[in-house]
Coordinates of all heavy atoms in Angstrom, one line a residue:
L1207 N -0.7 47.3 1.4 CA -0.2 48.0 0.2 C -1.4 48.4 -0.7 O -1.5 49.5 -1.2 CB 0.8 47.2 -0.5 CG 1.4 47.8 -1.8 CD1 2.3 49.0 -1.4 CD2 2.3 46.8 -2.5
D1208 N -2.3 47.4 -0.9 CA -3.4 47.7 -1.8 C -4.3 48.8 -1.2 O -4.9 49.6 -1.9 CB -4.2 46.4 -2.0 CG -5.3 46.5 -3.0 OD1 -5.2 47.3 -4.0 OD2 -6.4 45.9 -2.8
G1209 N -4.4 48.7 0.2 CA -5.3 49.7 0.9 C -4.7 51.2 0.8 O -5.4 52.1 1.0
K1210 N -3.4 51.3 0.5 CA -2.8 52.6 0.4 C -3.1 53.2 -1.0 O -2.6 54.3 -1.3 CB -1.3 52.5 0.6 CG -0.9 52.2 2.0 CD 0.6 52.2 2.2 CE 0.9 52.0 3.7 NZ 2.4 52.2 4.0
N1211 N -3.8 52.5 -1.8 CA -4.1 53.0 -3.2 C -2.9 53.5 -4.0 O -3.0 54.5 -4.6 CB -5.2 54.1 -3.1 CG -6.5 53.6 -2.5 OD1 -7.0 52.5 -2.9 ND2 -7.1 54.4 -1.6
V1212 N -1.9 52.7 -3.9 CA -0.7 53.0 -4.7 C -1.0 52.9 -6.2 O -1.8 52.1 -6.6 CB 0.5 52.2 -4.4 CG1 1.1 52.5 -3.0 CG2 0.2 50.7 -4.5
Q1213 N -0.5 53.8 -7.0 CA -0.8 53.8 -8.4 C 0.4 53.2 -9.2 O 1.5 53.2 -8.7 CB -1.0 55.3 -8.8 CG -2.2 56.0 -8.1 CD -3.5 55.3 -8.4 OE1 -3.8 55.0 -9.5 NE2 -4.2 55.0 -7.3
P1214 N 0.1 52.8 -10.4 CA 1.2 52.2 -11.2 C 2.4 53.2 -11.3 O 2.2 54.4 -11.5 CB 0.5 52.0 -12.6 CG -0.9 51.8 -12.2 CD -1.2 52.7 -11.1
G1215 N 3.5 52.7 -11.1 CA 4.7 53.5 -11.1 C 5.1 54.3 -9.9 O 6.2 54.9 -9.8
D1216 N 4.3 54.2 -8.9 CA 4.5 55.0 -7.6 C 5.8 54.4 -6.9 O 6.4 55.2 -6.2 CB 3.3 54.9 -6.7 CG 2.2 55.8 -7.0 OD1 2.4 56.7 -7.9 OD2 1.2 55.8 -6.3
G1217 N 6.0 53.2 -7.0 CA 7.1 52.5 -6.2 C 6.5 52.1 -4.9 O 5.5 52.6 -4.4
F1218 N 7.2 51.1 -4.3 CA 6.7 50.6 -3.0 C 7.2 51.6 -1.9 O 8.3 52.1 -1.9 CB 7.3 49.3 -2.7 CG 6.9 48.2 -3.6 CD1 7.9 47.3 -4.2 CD2 5.6 48.0 -4.0 CE1 7.5 46.3 -5.1 CE2 5.2 47.0 -4.9 CZ 6.2 46.2 -5.4
P1219 N 6.3 51.7 -0.9 CA 6.8 52.4 0.3 C 8.0 51.7 1.0 O 8.0 50.4 0.9 CB 5.6 52.4 1.3 CG 4.4 52.0 0.4 CD 5.0 51.3 -0.7
E1220 N 8.9 52.4 1.6 CA 10.1 51.8 2.2 C 9.7 50.7 3.2 O 10.3 49.7 3.3 CB 11.0 52.8 2.8 CG 12.3 52.2 3.2 CD 13.3 53.2 3.8 OE1 13.1 54.4 3.4 OE2 14.1 52.9 4.6
D1221 N 8.6 51.0 4.0 CA 8.3 50.0 5.0 C 7.8 48.7 4.5 O 8.0 47.7 5.0 CB 7.2 50.6 6.0 CG 5.9 51.0 5.3 OD1 5.9 51.2 4.1 OD2 4.9 51.1 6.0
F1222 N 7.2 48.7 3.3 CA 6.8 47.5 2.6 C 8.0 46.7 2.2 O 8.1 45.5 2.5 CB 5.9 47.8 1.4 CG 5.5 46.6 0.6 CD1 4.5 45.8 1.0 CD2 6.2 46.2 -0.6 CE1 4.1 44.7 0.3 CE2 5.9 45.1 -1.3 CZ 4.8 44.3 -0.9
T1223 N 8.9 47.3 1.5 CA 10.1 46.5 1.0 C 11.0 46.0 2.2 O 11.5 44.9 2.2 CB 11.0 47.3 0.1 OG1 11.4 48.6 0.7 CG2 10.2 47.6 -1.2
T1224 N 11.1 46.9 3.2 CA 11.9 46.5 4.4 C 11.3 45.2 5.1 O 12.0 44.3 5.4 CB 11.9 47.6 5.4 OG1 12.6 48.7 4.8 CG2 12.7 47.2 6.7
R1225 N 10.0 45.2 5.2 CA 9.3 44.1 5.9 C 9.3 42.8 5.0 O 9.6 41.8 5.5 CB 7.8 44.5 6.2 CG 7.8 45.4 7.4 CD 6.3 45.7 7.7 NE 6.3 46.5 9.0 CZ 6.0 47.8 9.0 NH1 5.7 48.5 7.9 NH2 6.0 48.4 10.2

Side-chain angles (χ1 to χ4, degrees):
L1207 181 66
D1208 188 34
K1210 289 185 176 188
N1211 294 318
V1212 290
Q1213 299 300 310
D1216 281 354
F1218 297 132
E1220 186 177 337
D1221 61 338
F1222 176 81
T1223 56
T1224 301
R1225 287 182 172 107

